[in-house]
Amino acid sequence: MPTSKKTINWYDKNAEGYAAHVRNPKDSVYHSYYEKPAMYALVPNIRNKNVLSLGCGSGEDSFHLKKLGAKKSFGIDISGELIKIAQKSYPQCNFKVMDMEHLNFPSSSFDFVYSSLAIHYMEDWTKVFREAYRVLKPNSRFLFSCGHPV
């Protein structure tokens, strides 16, 4: 089941506040000091690679992956308002409104897929995993994190 309309509407309505929150380390302690450093430490060498961020939000992770040397950094999110912020903030990356259960990319088009705290919005992760696997080139990686259920 895709992301609920309620969740999409919340992120569209609160996009500016969400972007300000994740960009402020004093306001997003968990993101800034725990989750992001742990995820970034696990990113493989992506220099000159094509990478995709699922549930990219306002684009910070896509930009980080670009700074790590990605040839092309793509980000997708279901929130059109967050994608507008990402496009404006990080023009060196490519962003599209897209459902992570239905990726509009050719098979085997990415060297690395990344998703930070987004897949837990899906009721069934099977479609996301299948789509990530489909768009990954052989012997590539999918790195993801999710919120703990408690």
Side-chain angles (χ1 to χ4, degrees):
M1 180 176 168
T3 306
S4 74
K5 295 286 186 204
K6 182 178 178 182
T7 300
I8 297 166
N9 291 338
W10 189 91
Y11 277 101
D12 279 344
K13 181 179 177 187
N14 297 286
E16 292 285 338
Y18 172 82
H21 165 73
V22 298
R23 292 174 180 178
N24 180 351
K26 292 179 182 177
D27 193 37
S28 63
V29 174
Y30 177 75
H31 274 239
S32 301
Y33 298 110
Y34 297 101
E35 199 271 344
K36 296 304 175 199
M39 288 289 285
Y40 293 166
L42 296 171
V43 173
N45 179 358
I46 57 171
R47 186 160 304 284
N48 296 315
K49 305 286 186 178
N50 291 329
V51 302
L52 173 63
S53 179
L54 303 178
C56 70
S58 47
E60 289 70 33
D61 290 331
S62 296
F63 180 61
H64 181 77
L65 296 172
K66 182 69 175 169
K67 289 191 310 185
L68 290 177
K71 180 179 176 181
K72 289 191 178 180
S73 182
F74 292 85
I76 64 117
D77 201 278
I78 199 73
S79 167
E81 294 303 313
L82 283 173
I83 290 297
K84 287 178 188 174
I85 292 169
Q87 289 170 328
K88 183 177 180 183
S89 301
Y90 308 108
Q92 56 278 76
C93 300
N94 300 287
F95 298 101
K96 289 188 177 196
V97 177
M98 196 179 302
D99 179 344
M100 69 177 81
E101 290 184 325
H102 305 283
L103 299 176
N104 190 17
F105 296 106
S107 296
S108 301
S109 51
F110 292 100
D111 301 289
F112 179 64
V113 175
Y114 176 97
S115 184
S116 170
L117 298 173
I119 65 170
H120 56 267
Y121 288 106
M122 304 285 105
E123 189 174 303
D124 178 4
W125 298 2
T126 306
K127 288 182 181 177
V128 176
F129 290 154
R130 281 188 185 136
E131 280 294 274
Y133 182 76
R134 183 185 64 77
V135 300
L136 277 169
K137 293 177 182 175
N139 301 311
S140 296
R141 295 184 186 178
F142 175 30
L143 174 64
F144 67 92
S145 64
C146 59
H148 192 281
V150 294

